[in-house]
Amino acid sequence: MTRRILVTGATGTVGGAVIDLLAGASGLKEIQPLGAARSEDSAERLRKRGLMPVHFDYDSPDTLRPALKGVDALFLATGYSVDMLVHSKRLLDAAKAEGVRHIVHLGALAEEDTPHAHFAWHQMVERVIEAMGFSYTHLRPNFFIDTVWAGFRQRPDRVVHFVGDRKVSWISSDDMAAVAVEALLHPERHAGATYPLAVEALSFGEIAEVLSEITETPVAYRPRPASDLLPITLKQGMEQTYAASLSEGVTAIEAGRMPISGAVYDTVQTVTGRQPIGWRAFAEKRKGELTSAATASAR
Ligand SMILES: NC(=O)c1ccc[n+]([C@@H]2O[C@H](COP(=O)([O-])OP(=O)(O)OC[C@H]3O[C@@H](n4cnc5c(N)ncnc54)[C@H](OP(=O)(O)O)[C@@H]3O)[C@@H](O)[C@H]2O)c1
């Protein structure tokens, strides 16, 4: 029997990597990966990658149950907004009603008694998943390499951040996807597990050094005080409750009040059996994007 697996956030950073890997793995005929798409534009982007979209919009609750028909396992990703709470609740209610068995939840790494809202919200979503009786695998990634890389692609002569000289720990979307897909394909092996995901700890100064070596051009680290982050994220359009929490979390890291932010784990090796991707390997693999980005911006 074919197992349907729904990937939410399929046009985003992590969900995108998850569905691509799942589609590759599911040359296996018994797996049918479905990519959540809230608009025709998103659906078309998925089709162009050879993926099967389903209409799914967290803000139109009527779309959730139809998207979950016959779905056996779900990758639950939400965005950078306090709406993640209501979005997660709606999706879990719909998943329960449609008989979904296993949930792989994209959360975030933090101390269990974290005072910071967006980390606490992710932990509360985990508790709801458990209380509702789903089989589950909780992913708790730390800083995404991809997010900083996306900014670096725009300005490949510098990295800007807000945590001073602190070492923080990193994970790529490819490694998150590898762990997620393993849990989606083999729920029986990963049910009840919580996987912190962070494969190396580097300061932004050290990241700038790695990028200088890989690109063979000087890359500077421009540290800015954590207090600068909130107005910047608001200007970029981030929803304000989430932005305020993000800013508080970064302030705590800058001040050394969040020791877990530098922690490293062997979960990627343990779960996938392969070596994880650190900053150096990531930049080496993706450096071709810098030339194409520079060419595009020069046009
Ligand atoms: N960045 C980090 O360093 C970091 C670290 C730890 C944890 N996290 C967690 O990672 C998560 C974000 O993951 P990401 O970076 O992969 O996200 P992302 O790249 O911003 O992607 C968001 C996805 O959600 C979709 N989406 C947005 N609104 C939607 C709606 N109303 N209905 C259906 N889909 C909707 C988007 O679709 P469209 O393409 O249509 O917009 C997109 O596919 C957050 O929960 C965050 O807390 C991030």
Side-chain angles (χ1 to χ4, degrees):
M1 205 176 90
T2 305
R3 283 186 67 215
R4 287 161 79 88
I5 300 180
L6 177 66
V7 177
T8 61
T11 51
T13 305
V14 185
V18 169
I19 194 160
D20 282 342
L21 194 60
L22 206 48
S26 61
L28 314 163
K29 279 198 214 67
E30 61 273 19
I31 304 294
Q32 183 179 43
L34 304 168
R38 63 171 156 165
S39 64
E40 186 42 42
D41 180 54
S42 294
E44 190 50 30
R45 278 189 279 151
L46 292 176
R47 277 187 214 104
K48 280 192 177 140
R49 281 154 54 196
L51 303 166
M52 185 181 290
V54 283
H55 183 46
F56 175 100
D57 184 347
Y58 280 120
D59 292 320
S60 301
D62 289 351
T63 64
L64 305 186
R65 281 190 65 173
L68 286 159
K69 285 269 176 271
V71 165
D72 173 65
L74 167 68
F75 180 73
L76 196 179
T78 47
Y80 300 90
S81 159
V82 65
D83 288 346
M84 63 169 280
L85 286 170
V86 69
H87 287 170
S88 301
K89 178 66 165 59
R90 282 177 188 159
L91 180 51
L92 291 170
D93 286 341
K96 200 72 201 168
E98 290 299 331
V100 173
R101 282 191 308 142
H102 192 73
I103 311 267
V104 177
H105 172 248
L106 180 67
L109 183 70
E111 278 88 1
E112 294 296 339
D113 61 351
T114 179
H116 304 296
H118 65 294
F119 295 120
W121 296 334
H122 274 306
Q123 291 176 0
M124 289 165 75
V125 171
E126 291 176 355
R127 300 296 80 76
V128 173
I129 291 169
E130 293 162 17
M132 289 177 79
F134 290 106
S135 163
Y136 65 86
T137 309
H138 300 321
L139 308 185
R140 291 185 175 180
N142 206 13
F143 280 78
F144 294 180
I145 298 177
D146 306 63
T147 309
V148 173
W149 178 260
F152 179 64
R153 279 182 58 182
Q154 306 298 319
R155 282 290 307 266
D157 59 338
R158 61 176 198 179
V159 282
V160 177
H161 217 275
F162 307 85
V163 293
D165 294 330
R166 296 275 163 210
K167 275 185 194 282
V168 291
S169 57
W170 296 94
I171 183 84
S172 66
S173 59
D174 284 349
D175 278 341
M176 287 183 268
V179 173
V181 166
E182 170 64 27
L184 289 164
L185 292 179
H186 306 288
E188 69 293 348
R189 293 184 200 158
H190 303 284
T194 297
Y195 293 131
L197 297 171
V199 305
E200 74 175 337
L202 289 182
S203 69
F204 278 86
E206 290 168 327
I207 290 167
E209 280 171 28
V210 170
L211 292 173
S212 300
E213 278 175 43
I214 302 285
T215 61
E216 297 176 34
T217 8
V219 175
Y221 169 39
R222 300 272 166 76
R224 293 185 63 169
S227 53
D228 281 2
L229 179 60
L230 182 58
I232 291 174
T233 49
L234 290 176
K235 199 169 163 201
Q236 288 169 345
M238 186 178 275
E239 178 275 318
Q240 72 180 39
T241 313
Y242 196 99
S245 175
L246 185 66
S247 164
E248 277 175 30
V250 166
T251 302
I253 293 171
E254 182 196 42
R257 284 186 276 110
M258 196 174 157
I260 202 172
S261 63
V264 170
Y265 303 87
D266 64 1
T267 34
V268 173
Q269 295 99 304
T270 313
V271 172
T272 68
R274 69 161 171 76
Q275 283 305 305
I277 301 159
W279 260 101
R280 185 173 293 280
F282 183 99
E284 191 64 65
K285 187 172 160 203
R286 306 274 292 266
K287 67 181 176 189
E289 293 173 9
L290 301 175
T291 330
S292 38
T295 314
S297 67
R299 274 193 205 121

